[in-house]
Amino acid sequence: MANIYDVAKIARVSTATVSLAMRDSARLNEATRLRVQAVAAKMHYKPSRIAASLAQRKTNIIGVILPSSLNPVYIETHAWIERTAGACGYDTQVYFIEEDPRRERRFLEKIYEQQVDGLIFIPAYPDINRDCYLHLAEARVPLVIRDHLAWLPEVDSVSVDMEQGGYAAVRHLLDLGHTRIAFVQNPFGLGHGLGRRKGYQRALAERGVAEDESLVHLCGIHLDDGYKATKALLALRDRPTAIFFQCDLLAMGSFAAVREAGLKIPGDISIVGFDDISFAACLETPLTSVAQPKRELAETLLATLMRRLEHPSAPPRHLMIAPELVIRRSSGVCPKRAGARGRKD
Amino acid sequence: MANIYDVAKIARVSTATVSLAMRDSARLNEATRLRVQAVAAKMHYKPSRIAASLAQRKTNIIGVILPSSLNPVYIETHAWIERTAGACGYDTQVYFIEEDPRRERRFLEKIYEQQVDGLIFIPAYPDINRDCYLHLAEARVPLVIRDHLAWLPEVDSVSVDMEQGGYAAVRHLLDLGHTRIAFVQNPFGLGHGLGRRKGYQRALAERGVAEDESLVHLCGIHLDDGYKATKALLALRDRPTAIFFQCDLLAMGSFAAVREAGLKIPGDISIVGFDDISFAACLETPLTSVAQPKRELAETLLATLMRRLEHPSAPPRHLMIAPELVIRRSSGVCPKRAGARGRKD
DNA sequence: TCGTAAAATTAAAACGTTCTAAATATTCTC
DNA sequence: GAGAATATTTAGAACGTTTTAATTTTACGA
């Protein structure tokens, strides 16, 4: 592969000129620029980004750390990040934690080897890897984290208001007459679950419905876990008439379980998810879900990171984005009230 | 950030020694190695991978070009590639074409800027970007392509036998008594569609069922396209009793359409997909699908690439992997024969 | 104690860019 | 046509590693 010296020699100019020509610099006489570009093209010369990165101390890459590749919500968010970053001249390098705390740790350490100009970080194991998180902040890596961590006050954050989302979801179910509303949650994953649960509790309390511990189910984060959680909840003596899942992925897992139990959605049981992944709208029974505004989230994360890159010592900024309930077929009137109210399924 | 000189100075050794120490070289006295490592750790020194890449002319990154981030089959395949690559000491850099031929072109050109040691390439627009593909081959970028292209005989390839898969799917439907079997296909995306269609045709021909052009539906590759395709097929005068979709994503889109038409799966219509994405098994009506063996595919792609990296001038290798039909609830006996046969839904 | 072999360390030249400051060309003003 | 102002080009030093070949140190046998 030809390098900048080869081109310089053939074009009878200095490497500086070649460098400028390749970047369309206006500092160069147009004739020379075109001539050099022509030579470069003829030689199939492409500047090495590695060398450029070294010289500039800038890779034009931003790292994106995502908890899992199995949950489409992260992929969909990333798609927006990628697009927005592209518009700012950055490429994106994704790291999937894939539910392995050691992988998260490894990635966080890898950051120091300086591949990336900045980092967008959706944390997966803040408790287990707290030391790494703190170290990252201390090292002043340009960083935006999704969700505000109280012990990282200096790190820019953009959060989705999980409590509000949880509240909206449960409020919706209460409005439909449900009172036995289960909540399925993954105990890891930041306090996401925590925020949503608070919303769940607040909504219940507001209507004077006592929280029943047996209706709060902890589980993993795979489709399969949603399936199992549902099985368990449906086996309860006094089973719930509605289930609110921490995420759509878990909610999707519930459908097969409900069907196997010979029940109908939403006739016998209502299902509400969180995230509004693209599949939610196209299921056999379209899923009611609290939508994370993925595009807005992505754009805000990126804007915050860009600001940080430009103003490294600006005061930290903590933003919050409101989610929005999208009502579809999977949630309906509580069967106990169905006679009185009408809508049946 | 401390660099190798700083460490060398503090540890009172040369940069060469630091370099060796950081890589646990046995050429170094153990005492010095440990001492240098201790100094490095104290200074929070991490070698710059950029500089190392430049010096070694090797990034330890392999690029993975995928057609879309919206179809889980690619994400799931990538997860295996990532894992396998990690075991070989490589990181992975993903590029999503996102159904934009210009993006494919841009990525293929970017490769020459030498970020990656090798490339795993699932092509999206071989017809539109044929010149780029050819140029890539000509430039001898270490490369494995998924699916053999006749006009790229020199490029290693690993294919899934799409024709065999299509045949198995349609054969299964024929066995269930269906004769009006539709095929929904995306006209782009390599000859994937083509291979599957051949299988479709072969199976029909074998049983003496004439191919009905009106049952072959062309569409895009989104969930939504599956929905629309189904709507269109169900509106036909003599509507099909089974639909074979080019991929599970499209098949998933069909469920809502079927339901809206007031029909039952598989009682009124059978659905078969392709890819066996993780969602297929957990849907309200679990989906019959031709499974791409994603792990095997990933491992074979990677093994082929590694071989190419080690033996740059070995003769090209073209491998083929057999898919496997996974039968679930979405396919059942043809309603026209249901009375005679039994199984009802 | 010396010579030699083996082990450990290092000097210095890559790797392929960018960038700063300086040098050289060109244009303009009067 | 001289001098100033401006436009264009360039020398050479970064950037932070790795690597080769050479040098220095240590170990060992006689």
Coordinates of all heavy atoms in Angstrom, one line a residue, chain C residues 1-4, chain D residues 27-30:
Chain C
dT1 P 41.4 -12.8 41.0 OP1 42.0 -11.6 41.1 OP2 39.9 -13.0 40.8 O5' 42.1 -13.8 40.0 C5' 43.3 -13.6 39.3 C4' 43.0 -14.0 37.8 O4' 42.2 -15.2 37.8 C3' 42.2 -12.9 37.1 O3' 42.8 -12.7 35.8 C2' 40.8 -13.5 37.0 C1' 41.1 -15.0 36.9 N1 40.0 -15.9 37.5 C2 39.8 -17.1 36.8 O2 40.4 -17.5 35.9 N3 38.8 -17.8 37.4 C4 38.0 -17.5 38.5 O4 37.1 -18.3 38.9 C5 38.3 -16.3 39.1 C7 37.5 -15.8 40.3 C6 39.3 -15.5 38.6
dC2 P 42.4 -11.6 34.9 OP1 43.5 -10.7 34.7 OP2 41.0 -11.1 35.3 O5' 42.2 -12.5 33.5 C5' 42.9 -13.7 33.4 C4' 42.2 -14.5 32.4 O4' 41.2 -15.3 33.1 C3' 41.5 -13.8 31.3 O3' 41.8 -14.2 30.0 C2' 40.0 -14.0 31.6 C1' 40.0 -15.3 32.4 N1 38.9 -15.5 33.4 C2 38.3 -16.8 33.4 O2 38.6 -17.7 32.6 N3 37.3 -16.9 34.3 C4 36.9 -15.9 35.2 N4 36.0 -16.2 36.1 C5 37.6 -14.7 35.1 C6 38.6 -14.5 34.2
dG3 P 41.4 -13.5 28.7 OP1 42.5 -13.3 27.8 OP2 40.6 -12.3 29.1 O5' 40.4 -14.6 28.1 C5' 40.8 -15.9 28.0 C4' 39.6 -16.7 27.6 O4' 38.7 -16.9 28.7 C3' 38.8 -16.1 26.4 O3' 38.5 -17.2 25.5 C2' 37.6 -15.6 27.1 C1' 37.4 -16.5 28.3 N9 36.8 -15.8 29.5 C8 37.1 -14.6 30.0 N7 36.4 -14.3 31.1 C5 35.6 -15.5 31.3 C6 34.7 -15.8 32.4 O6 34.4 -15.1 33.3 N1 34.1 -17.1 32.2 C2 34.5 -17.9 31.2 N2 33.8 -19.1 31.2 N3 35.3 -17.6 30.2 C4 35.9 -16.4 30.3
dT4 P 37.8 -16.9 24.2 OP1 38.3 -17.8 23.1 OP2 37.7 -15.4 24.0 O5' 36.3 -17.5 24.5 C5' 36.2 -18.8 25.1 C4' 34.8 -19.0 25.5 O4' 34.4 -18.4 26.7 C3' 33.8 -18.5 24.4 O3' 32.8 -19.5 24.2 C2' 33.2 -17.3 25.0 C1' 33.2 -17.7 26.5 N1 33.2 -16.6 27.5 C2 32.4 -16.7 28.6 O2 31.8 -17.7 28.9 N3 32.4 -15.6 29.5 C4 33.1 -14.4 29.3 O4 33.1 -13.6 30.2 C5 33.9 -14.3 28.1 C7 34.7 -13.1 27.8 C6 33.9 -15.4 27.2
Chain D
dA27 P 24.7 -14.1 37.9 OP1 23.5 -14.6 38.5 OP2 25.9 -13.6 38.7 O5' 25.2 -15.2 36.9 C5' 24.3 -15.7 35.8 C4' 24.9 -17.0 35.3 O4' 26.0 -16.6 34.4 C3' 25.5 -17.9 36.3 O3' 25.2 -19.2 36.0 C2' 27.0 -17.6 36.3 C1' 27.2 -17.2 34.8 N9 28.3 -16.3 34.6 C8 28.6 -15.2 35.3 N7 29.6 -14.5 34.8 C5 29.9 -15.1 33.6 C6 30.9 -14.9 32.7 N6 31.7 -13.9 32.7 N1 31.0 -15.8 31.6 C2 30.1 -16.8 31.6 N3 29.2 -17.1 32.5 C4 29.1 -16.2 33.5
dC28 P 25.6 -20.5 36.9 OP1 24.4 -21.4 36.8 OP2 26.1 -20.0 38.2 O5' 26.8 -21.1 36.0 C5' 26.6 -21.2 34.6 C4' 28.0 -21.7 34.0 O4' 28.9 -20.6 33.8 C3' 28.7 -22.7 35.0 O3' 29.1 -23.8 34.3 C2' 29.9 -21.8 35.5 C1' 30.1 -20.9 34.3 N1 30.8 -19.6 34.6 C2 31.7 -19.1 33.7 O2 31.9 -19.7 32.6 N3 32.4 -17.9 34.0 C4 32.1 -17.3 35.1 N4 32.8 -16.2 35.4 C5 31.3 -17.9 36.1 C6 30.6 -19.0 35.8
dG29 P 29.6 -25.1 35.1 OP1 28.5 -26.1 34.9 OP2 30.0 -24.7 36.4 O5' 30.9 -25.5 34.2 C5' 30.9 -25.2 32.8 C4' 32.3 -25.2 32.3 O4' 32.8 -23.8 32.6 C3' 33.2 -26.2 33.0 O3' 34.1 -26.8 32.1 C2' 33.9 -25.3 34.1 C1' 34.0 -23.9 33.4 N9 34.0 -22.8 34.3 C8 33.3 -22.7 35.5 N7 33.5 -21.6 36.1 C5 34.4 -20.9 35.3 C6 35.0 -19.6 35.4 O6 34.8 -18.8 36.3 N1 35.8 -19.3 34.3 C2 36.1 -20.1 33.3 N2 36.9 -19.7 32.4 N3 35.5 -21.4 33.1 C4 34.7 -21.7 34.2
dA30 P 35.1 -27.8 32.4 OP1 35.1 -28.8 31.3 OP2 34.8 -28.3 33.8 O5' 36.4 -27.0 32.5 C5' 36.9 -26.4 31.3 C4' 38.2 -25.7 31.6 O4' 37.9 -24.5 32.5 C3' 39.2 -26.5 32.3 O3' 40.5 -26.3 31.8 C2' 39.1 -26.0 33.8 C1' 38.8 -24.6 33.6 N9 38.1 -23.9 34.7 C8 37.2 -24.5 35.6 N7 36.8 -23.7 36.5 C5 37.5 -22.5 36.2 C6 37.4 -21.2 36.9 N6 36.7 -20.9 37.9 N1 38.2 -20.3 36.3 C2 38.9 -20.5 35.2 N3 39.0 -21.7 34.5 C4 38.3 -22.6 35.1

